[in-house]
Amino acid sequence: MTGGDTARIRSLEWMERGTDLLAGALDRLADADLDGTTPLPGWSRRHLVAHLGFNAAALRRLASWARTGEPNPMYASPEQRAAEIAEGASWPAGRLRDLVSKHSAGLLADLAALDDRQWGAPVVTAQGRTVPASEIPWLRVREVAVHAVDLDAGVAFADLPVDLCEELLSDVAARRSVKGDDPALSLVSATGRTWSVDGPGTPVRVGGEPGELARWLTGRGAGTLTDEHGAPPPALTAWL
């Protein structure tokens, strides 16, 4: 088994775990609760649930692209994606729940059907990056894991697997470094792993549990984290 195979299998396992956490969070929310707010500006829980359902559908299009070789983009345009979410947010709660469960299960099945050659097929993400299809599971992991927490229905970053949180830290730190909108950071996990974010100034050193660091680095608040001087860590820009 190659390193790429191992990473793909690990992401598939995380995707199943995250999908289960998301399903549990949705089960704990009454239909009326879907009208509640989220940490995402302008989005109710309805918008977030619609996004999660349509994201799974969009990733199924990438799986189809990998399987058939026929280009099948996630979205026709950013405007189409936004309009889709806005429309879905107006649907009855039962239809929204069905959207998520149908396409979450469908994505798992679509990915399970890919062979070794298809896993290596190039596809294009919504951000315009060309990646092998083997990255599709991780694209979904980010969505279900972080947004299961955003629903505020009993799931916290501490409930996510430690290695998932650390992979998320690697992903987000790299993206923030490329964007260059944040101060320089030096992150130290309680497990001993470290990450850096390139930016202006002397790096701000912040340590803590992987889940706490992931919550902060994804823009969900610093909680009890402090920097090396005991001060609150800096506020961060959006990462996606």
Side-chain angles (χ1 to χ4, degrees):
M1 183 181 295
T2 68
D5 292 335
T6 301
R8 184 184 78 221
I9 291 169
R10 182 181 59 185
S11 289
L12 285 166
E13 292 172 346
W14 287 338
M15 190 174 79
E16 292 190 34
R17 171 64 173 153
T19 298
D20 288 343
L21 286 171
L22 172 62
L26 282 172
D27 285 346
R28 287 189 289 273
L29 291 171
D31 288 352
D33 294 332
L34 297 182
D35 295 325
T37 60
T38 72
L40 308 178
W43 273 18
S44 68
R45 284 186 175 126
R46 285 181 162 277
H47 290 87
L48 186 51
V49 174
H51 163 61
L52 286 164
F54 287 126
N55 171 263
L59 292 174
R60 295 186 70 183
R61 290 192 280 274
L62 292 192
S64 171
W65 187 341
R67 186 180 67 254
T68 66
E70 293 293 327
N72 199 353
M74 291 181 67
Y75 305 102
S77 67
E79 293 76 18
Q80 179 262 327
R81 173 184 176 274
E84 193 174 57
I85 293 169
E87 178 186 350
S90 70
W91 290 355
R95 187 178 177 188
L96 266 180
R97 294 177 189 274
D98 289 345
L99 174 75
V100 175
S101 60
K102 171 188 173 182
H103 286 299
S104 293
L107 178 59
L108 287 167
D110 291 349
L111 294 177
L114 297 181
D115 62 27
D116 288 342
R117 179 186 62 80
Q118 292 163 346
W119 276 117
V123 296
V124 181
T125 71
Q127 288 77 38
R129 294 187 304 121
T130 299
V131 300
S134 57
E135 285 205 20
I136 297 174
W138 175 248
L139 298 178
R140 184 59 175 171
V141 170
R142 288 190 322 206
E143 299 292 339
V144 293
V146 174
H147 289 326
V149 177
D150 288 336
L151 283 171
D152 190 22
V155 179
F157 277 96
D159 297 314
L160 305 178
V162 168
D163 53 354
L164 188 163
C165 288
E166 293 190 331
E167 186 68 19
L168 188 61
L169 285 164
S170 297
D171 185 309
V172 182
R175 289 174 184 276
R176 289 193 180 281
S177 291
V178 170
K179 289 178 66 178
D181 295 331
D182 297 294
L185 303 172
S186 175
L187 311 180
V188 183
S189 168
T191 66
R193 286 193 62 183
T194 62
W195 300 266
S196 61
V197 173
D198 296 337
T202 302
V204 178
R205 189 178 186 277
V206 181
E209 294 295 330
E212 294 177 335
L213 291 171
R215 178 186 60 207
W216 169 59
L217 204 63
T218 58
R220 270 70 185 172
T224 59
L225 289 176
T226 60
D227 66 16
E228 60 190 313
H229 305 295
L236 303 174
T237 62
W239 64 286
L240 275 179

